[in-house]
Amino acid sequence: MSDILWIRRDLRIHDNPALVSAIENGVSIAVFISTPQKWHQHHLAPIKADFIFRHLKQLEAELADLGITLLHLKATDFDDQAKQLTELYQQLGSQVVFANSEPEVDEQARDQQLISSGINLQISDCDVMLPLGSVLNQQGEMFKVFTPFKNAWLKEVQAKGIQCSPAALTSKNNAKALLPDNLQTLQLASDYDFDFPRVDSSRWPLSQDVLGNVIPNFLANKVNDYAHLRDIPSVKGTSGLSPYLAIGAVSPRWLAIQLIQQQPDLLFDTQLPAFSWLNELIWRDFYKHLMFHHPKLVKGANFQQKYNGLDWYKDHPSFKAWCEGKTGYPLVDAAMRQLVETGWMHNRLRMVVASFLTKHLLIDWRWGERFFMEHLIDGDFSANNGGWQWASSTGCDAQPYFRIFNPITQSEKFDPKGIFIRKYIPELKNIPDKHVHFPHGYIAKNGINSEYWQPIVEHKEARLRALAFFK
C-alpha cells in the first residue's frame, strides 16, 4: 500500500508543500498524468511541452534520491486523468493523494469530481507568494487596482512574512517502491513524447543550474540594475525566470524570500532599485489572485463588461501580417519574429505588440492571447490574460483606452540604435540608426531596393480610429 504524490504544475523539490506532506507520510509513489488533448485545447506551446518534459526527467532523478518513484501516465483530457488517478489509487490501496493547487475552472472541477468520488485529495498552495484570497480590501473583496493590492500585500508580508516549505528534505523510505506488475512499464522513458509536439528548449538551462548559479548571480549583480535595463530589449536586463515560474520549476515564494533576506528594506522603501523586480513578482500574484476571485476570466470574458459590445475587426490578413512580423513597423516585427523563433518575447515588447494588435488593428485581444500561448515557453494563463486585457483596456486596472503606444517612438526610446531590430530583421541592417525605426521614407528617397514590407496601417489614422472605436 502506498499513498500518492500527484505532480502537476510544481516540477520542483524546493518549496513544495505537497512533497513535504508526502515525505512526512512515507509516500513512495509519485505520478504525473499528461493530457495532450487538454494541452491542445489550452494552446500549450511545443517549446513549453519540451521544457516540461526535460524538467520531469530532472524531477524523476531528484525524487528517486528521496526514495520516491515517479510514474508517468498518459490521459486524453481531465476526465480521463481523473479516471486514471482513481484506478491507480485503488490499485495501490492508497488512502491519500497529495497535490498542489491548480485554481483554474476546469482543474477545480476535476479535483471536486475526484473528491466526490471518494478520493482523499489533500491540496496545498505553492504558486503564489501569499495564499489566494488572503489579500483583500476593507470590504473583504479583491482589489480592482494594482497599487492598493501591492500596498496591502506589503503590509501583510511586513507583519507575517512569506511562508515557505522546509528547504531540506530527508527521505523516510528505506526501500524502493514495490509496484504492481502492470505499472512497471509506466515509468518515464527518455523518448516519451506525451503524444504532443515538442520544440527544442535546450537554450534554457534546467532549474538545477538556475537555482545554483543564475539566480544567485542575478540577485548579487543584476537586480539593482533591473529598473533601468528591463525595458531595453537588446540587453539581457531581465531575470529570465518566467519559464521556470510558469511550470513550477522555481518557487515564487522562495525567490521573494531570497531577495528580501538580501535587501530587507525593500518591504519599507519602494524607491530602492531592486523593488522594481519585486514589484513584478507582486504583479504576478495580483493576476493569480484576480483569476481566483473572477474565474470568468478563464472563459475569455472581458473583466470590464462595458466593453462586451466592442465589435472587434475580423481582419485575418492583418492578423496574419502581425503573426508573421510583417506589419511594416520594425519594432513590432522584430518582436514577433523573436517570439516565433525563440519561444520568448521581451516584456516591454509584449506591451507594444499587444497594443498594436488591439489599438492599431482593432483585432480581438483573445486572438493575440491565444497566439502567445501557442508560442511562449513561459505561457502562463493568468499573466498572459492579464497582460492582454491590460493592453486592450478591457481588463482590471488596464491602461485607459486612449493610451495608444506609438510603435515608432517606443522603438526610438528603447532600441535607439536599432540593435534589437537588426538582430531579427536583417533586411534593415544597412539602414542608418535615425531611420531604422520607420525606414520607408528613407528607402524611397534613396531608391534603395529593400525587401522590407510597407506598413499595413498608418499610425495617426489608426490612433483616431481606435479612439472612435472605444468611445
Side-chain angles (χ1 to χ4, degrees):
M1 182 183 77
S2 173
D3 292 331
I4 301 169
L5 170 65
W6 185 5
I7 299 297
R8 312 205 288 191
R9 207 177 309 155
D10 49 356
L11 307 183
R12 63 178 186 264
I13 61 170
H14 73 282
D15 186 32
N16 188 324
L19 173 59
V20 172
S21 296
I23 289 176
E24 289 175 347
N25 286 273
V27 168
S28 60
I29 299 293
V31 61
F32 179 85
I33 311 174
S34 57
T35 54
Q37 180 177 308
K38 202 67 177 180
W39 288 347
H40 279 293
Q41 293 174 356
H42 288 173
H43 317 300
L44 178 71
I47 192 171
K48 184 179 176 184
D50 187 67
F51 200 55
I52 290 171
F53 175 78
R54 291 172 55 220
H55 278 88
L56 276 172
K57 292 301 296 178
Q58 174 184 268
L59 184 62
E60 179 185 32
E62 292 174 325
L63 290 176
D65 289 341
L66 294 170
I68 298 175
T69 298
L70 178 61
L71 306 179
H72 187 173
L73 304 182
K74 184 172 62 176
T76 53
D77 54 19
F78 282 168
D79 286 340
D80 190 27
Q81 190 180 56
K83 176 184 176 182
Q84 294 210 33
L85 182 70
T86 300
E87 290 176 353
L88 180 64
Y89 186 84
Q90 294 170 345
Q91 284 181 312
L92 295 176
S94 304
Q95 295 182 344
V96 185
V97 174
F98 300 96
N100 291 308
S101 66
E102 293 184 305
E104 292 84 2
V105 172
D106 289 349
E107 286 81 349
Q108 286 292 300
R110 174 205 57 202
D111 289 353
Q112 287 304 313
Q113 174 188 340
L114 284 164
I115 293 170
S116 298
S117 70
I119 301 295
N120 183 3
L121 186 59
Q122 294 194 12
I123 300 290
S124 303
D125 199 0
C126 74
D127 194 36
V128 285
M129 294 180 289
L130 292 182
L132 295 171
S134 67
V135 184
L136 303 171
N137 62 21
Q138 293 183 348
Q139 290 72 45
E141 299 173 344
M142 173 61 189
F143 290 93
K144 295 183 179 179
V145 178
F146 171 70
T147 299
F149 175 89
K150 175 189 70 177
N151 294 335
W153 188 97
L154 288 169
K155 288 181 180 179
E156 185 75 8
V157 175
Q158 289 166 7
K160 301 179 181 178
I162 296 175
Q163 304 306 313
C164 206
S165 297
L169 299 176
T170 303
S171 172
K172 293 187 178 182
N173 299 313
N174 297 318
K176 185 177 180 180
L178 295 176
L179 301 176
D181 291 340
N182 64 324
L183 293 180
Q184 296 290 341
T185 60
L186 296 178
Q187 297 182 53
L188 276 168
S190 60
D191 59 349
Y192 203 98
D193 64 359
F194 302 137
D195 283 345
F196 194 89
R198 285 164 47 202
V199 169
D200 182 27
S201 64
S202 59
R203 66 182 294 266
W204 296 88
L206 289 170
S207 60
Q208 284 182 339
D209 183 50
V210 169
L211 291 165
N213 299 298
V214 176
I215 294 172
N217 180 57
F218 177 78
L219 294 178
N221 303 310
K222 296 183 178 181
V223 71
N224 289 326
D225 295 324
Y226 178 82
H228 71 270
L229 293 180
R230 63 188 291 263
D231 285 322
I232 304 174
S234 62
V235 302
K236 194 173 182 180
T238 63
S239 67
L241 296 177
S242 55
Y244 304 90
L245 289 168
I247 67 169
V250 170
S251 159
R253 302 191 300 196
W254 183 86
L255 281 176
I257 289 172
Q258 301 307 305
L259 177 64
I260 293 168
Q261 286 179 343
Q262 185 184 89
Q263 301 193 43
D265 290 344
L266 284 178
L267 294 177
F268 306 92
D269 186 355
T270 61
Q271 300 304 309
L272 291 172
F275 185 82
S276 180
W277 189 61
L278 178 60
N279 197 57
E280 291 302 305
L281 292 177
I282 301 174
W283 264 107
R284 183 180 184 274
D285 257 24
F286 177 67
Y287 283 136
K288 289 194 174 293
H289 283 244
L290 191 69
M291 181 187 65
F292 173 77
H293 288 281
H294 299 276
K296 66 179 183 179
L297 296 174
V298 178
K299 301 300 183 181
N302 293 316
F303 183 85
Q304 297 190 45
Q305 296 184 17
K306 67 180 181 179
Y307 289 121
N308 286 349
L310 286 175
D311 188 17
W312 296 103
Y313 288 18
K314 295 177 175 59
D315 187 347
H316 292 276
S318 292
F319 181 65
K320 184 174 185 290
W322 178 84
C323 293
E324 295 177 352
K326 294 182 178 179
T327 68
Y329 286 83
L331 189 64
V332 173
D333 294 340
M336 295 305 295
R337 286 191 177 188
Q338 180 187 39
L339 172 61
V340 173
E341 291 177 19
T342 71
W344 187 81
M345 186 190 292
H346 188 276
N347 184 61
R348 163 61 56 172
L349 303 185
R350 298 187 196 203
M351 294 188 286
V352 172
V353 303
S355 177
F356 190 88
L357 184 73
T358 58
K359 302 294 177 63
H360 282 70
L361 302 181
L362 301 182
I363 290 175
D364 196 330
W365 59 267
R366 299 167 188 84
W367 292 23
E369 178 195 38
R370 174 173 176 169
F371 188 81
F372 267 31
M373 288 299 290
E374 290 171 340
H375 290 83
L376 283 171
I377 190 172
D378 63 351
D380 175 277
F381 173 79
S382 57
N384 191 46
N385 180 275
W388 272 98
Q389 292 219 48
W390 179 89
S392 65
S393 302
T394 65
C396 179
D397 199 12
Q399 65 172 343
Y401 75 87
F402 50 80
R403 185 184 178 196
I404 301 169
F405 281 159
N406 182 330
I408 303 171
T409 56
Q410 289 283 310
S411 181
E412 292 170 341
K413 182 176 182 180
F414 297 113
D415 192 28
K417 295 185 179 299
I419 297 172
F420 177 80
I421 287 172
R422 292 189 182 91
K423 179 177 180 179
Y424 289 99
I425 309 181
E427 296 93 331
L428 300 179
K429 64 181 180 180
N430 295 320
I431 303 297
D433 295 351
K434 180 180 178 180
H435 301 284
V436 75
H437 311 286
F438 198 66
H440 308 287
Y442 177 84
I443 289 172
K445 180 180 178 180
N446 292 276
I448 298 174
N449 183 18
S450 174
E451 296 180 1
Y452 191 58
W453 32 89
Q454 292 297 309
I456 61 175
V457 67
E458 199 277 324
H459 169 67
K460 291 182 179 179
E461 292 178 0
R463 182 179 183 278
L464 293 174
R465 185 177 65 171
L467 293 175
F469 177 79
F470 277 87
K471 278 188 176 180

